[in-house]
Every structure is written in C-alpha cells, then in structure tokens.
Amino acid sequence: MDVTPTSIVAEQAELPTADVLGVKVSTLDLEATVRRVDDFLRTESTHAIVTADSSGFVLAQSNDALLQLYKSADLVTADSAGVVWAVRKLTGQRISRVSGVDLAFQICRLASLKGYRVFLLGAQPGIADRAAERLRLQHPGIQIVGTRHGYFPVEDDELVAAEIAPLKPDVLLVAMGIPRQEMFISRTADIIRAKVSMGVGGSLDVFSGKVRRAPRLVRRLKLEWVWRLLQNPGKVRKVALLPRFVRLVLRYGR
Ligand code: UDP
C-alpha cells in the first residue's frame, strides 16, 4: 500500500525550471509558486527559497558558496526583469516575474489563511516590528511569532538562530540583503528548522512603510529598478552589475 502523504507527492512533482547560468530558475507564475510553497509547508522538512535578481547571479560568479546555495535551493524565482529576460533569451520561454516582495506578501496571506507561524528577521531596529503591525492589519489572524533586526555579526548567527528556534516558525523571512541573508539561512536551517526560509531583501522596509513600492505603472514598464535607485542612490553599485549579467547570459547562450 502506498502511504506517501499527498503533500509529499505534490512536492516531488517536477518543478518546471529554466537553466540560467547553471541555476534552475522556476518558471511558475506567482500563484503557482505560492501553491508550491504551501506544499513545502505541509511537509516536515526544511526548504530554502531564493528570489534571484541579476546582481545575485553576478555575485554568485565570484562567490562559490552563494552559487552552491542557488544551485541547491528548493525553489529559485526570477526576482527581476533581468532574470525574466535571461530565461527568454536562453530558453525562449516567456515567464512572469516572481519578486521577493510579492512572494513574501502572498506567503503572509497564505500563513494567515492556514495558520502558519511566521518569523520576520532583518532590517534596521524597529522596522520588522512595524512591518509585523502592518501585516497584521493586512492579513488579520496572521501569527507572527517574533521579529528581530538584522544588524548583528556573522559570528552571532547561531546565537540568533537559537533565539528563534523555540518559537517554532514555519516560515522564516530574512531581510538582510544578498548574500548575507542566504548565508544566514543555510548556516542556521538545521537549528531553526523552519519549513520554508526565504531571503527577502528590502521587503520588510516596504511592509513597514519605510520604503514605498514603485507604482504599478512603473512596475509594468519594468522600471522598478529606476524607482528603487531614486529612493536609494546607494543601490547604484547593484544596478551597475546589470551589464555584466547581460554579457554572462549572452556568452552562456552560445
Ligand atoms: N540589512 C540588515 N543587515 C545588514 C545589512 C542590511 O538587516 O547587515 C537590511 C537592510 O536594512 C535592508 C535589507 O537588509 O532592509 C536589504 O535591502 P536591499 O534593498 O539592499 O536588499 P536587496 O537589494 O539585496 O534585495
């Protein structure tokens, strides 16, 4: 008799992906991605989700640990218009962008509907608390079991994980920027044992109201990066990596 729980069967169903610079990027849209995350949450194991933008791919070229994390993640989404373009260029598939901020918001919605426990880690002191307050208004009933700011040294990762673990979060959202958040998740997954852990970049700044998301029209014109650059000129270093990403993709496709 087959006693495999249906959720595990669903999880094992092949994830449709496209190869971008050796990383399997999911081609699911946002709705299907949230369903896949729900499958992850109905198992007992831990899962890492990466929302990868062009700068992450470029950084991974010179950071082998990050590249290995991208390759071994359970789900890698196309976080930026650049990665959506790369999938089209390399495989001919038209996929939709699944940004970290949209996916994190939808996972919070899912958590409120299904009773999953959420922990928010990262951003400056006070921001995760404000994000939690606003998420509780937007998703009534959501169980945010704890928050913590993201300014601590790498040497304290295990200590911070040991503080989080007793709260037994199902979902861990880590907003500490690439690659710090991905490294934290990989180093502490076996301590915290959240079923889904995801790096969410500046999402807590957006959820808290500190940073305003680009208007829908700007997003539709694929110019969200310009909006973010105007809000935070410090991001210019990140945007400057885009031409390198384009070159890497064109060379990979040959
Ligand atoms: N951050 C943090 N700890 C650090 C460095 C950054 O918690 O040591 C936070 C920062 O306050 C911001 C987020 O990480 O909320 C990074 O946001 P950004 O928009 O730069 O992320 P990305 O561009 O990588 O998505």
Side-chain angles (χ1 to χ4, degrees):
M1 188 175 65
D2 184 3
V3 290
T4 316
T6 47
S7 58
I8 299 192
V9 172
E11 187 194 358
Q12 285 168 349
E14 187 92 26
L15 179 73
T17 58
D19 178 352
V20 177
L21 308 182
V23 175
K24 289 184 176 143
V25 174
S26 161
T27 57
L28 297 176
D29 65 10
L30 179 61
E31 211 182 310
T33 304
V34 175
R35 279 200 299 273
R36 182 57 64 119
V37 173
D38 194 22
D39 291 338
F40 290 165
L41 284 161
R42 285 187 282 133
T43 70
E44 289 307 317
S45 34
T46 62
H47 301 84
I49 302 179
V50 169
T51 60
D53 66 8
S54 320
S55 74
F57 275 97
V58 176
L59 292 176
Q61 298 304 306
S62 54
N63 180 337
D64 200 47
L66 184 63
L67 184 61
Q68 291 319 314
L69 286 179
Y70 277 26
K71 287 187 174 178
S72 62
D74 297 280
L75 180 70
V76 180
T77 76
D79 179 47
S80 70
V83 179
V84 169
W85 166 81
V87 169
R88 176 108 190 265
K89 188 81 197 156
L90 293 169
T91 70
Q93 293 179 79
R94 284 174 187 269
I95 67 164
S96 51
R97 181 179 169 210
V98 177
S99 74
V101 63
D102 286 334
L103 183 55
F105 191 78
Q106 290 305 323
I107 290 177
C108 287
R109 180 167 178 271
L110 177 72
S112 77
L113 295 174
K114 301 255 180 125
Y116 298 131
R117 299 160 67 82
V118 180
F119 192 99
L120 306 180
L121 172 66
Q124 285 159 358
I127 297 292
D129 278 338
R130 266 186 13 225
E133 273 167 33
R134 289 180 48 144
L135 286 169
R136 284 188 186 108
L137 293 176
Q138 287 156 331
H139 304 296
I142 187 172
Q143 288 190 67
I144 298 180
V145 295
T147 62
R148 195 198 193 286
H149 71 76
Y151 287 83
F152 53 90
V154 176
E155 303 80 65
D156 286 356
D157 279 7
E158 291 184 1
L159 226 86
V160 170
E163 282 170 25
I164 298 172
L167 301 168
K168 298 195 183 311
D170 299 302
V171 175
L172 174 67
L173 301 180
V174 187
M176 294 168 71
I178 304 168
R180 180 77 178 87
Q181 58 199 20
E182 281 75 21
M183 298 317 248
F184 177 88
I185 288 170
S186 120
R187 202 170 292 139
T188 61
D190 283 340
I191 302 173
I192 301 177
R193 305 233 28 105
K195 289 169 197 150
V196 165
S197 301
M198 178 166 101
V200 295
S203 300
L204 296 187
D205 293 327
V206 173
F207 295 162
S208 72
K210 180 183 171 219
V211 168
R212 227 158 58 80
R213 186 96 200 265
R216 208 177 287 266
L217 178 66
V218 176
R219 276 185 263 159
R220 217 175 294 143
L221 292 171
K222 305 194 186 336
L223 291 175
E224 186 163 22
W225 63 275
V226 178
W227 175 270
R228 293 184 72 186
L229 188 60
L230 290 174
Q231 290 213 331
N232 179 1
K235 281 206 171 291
V236 71
R237 288 221 312 270
K238 205 175 149 167
V239 173
L241 296 176
L242 189 60
R244 246 173 85 197
F245 177 69
V246 171
R247 277 200 302 277
L248 284 166
V249 169
L250 294 177
R251 218 178 300 147
Y252 192 73
R254 264 184 224 148

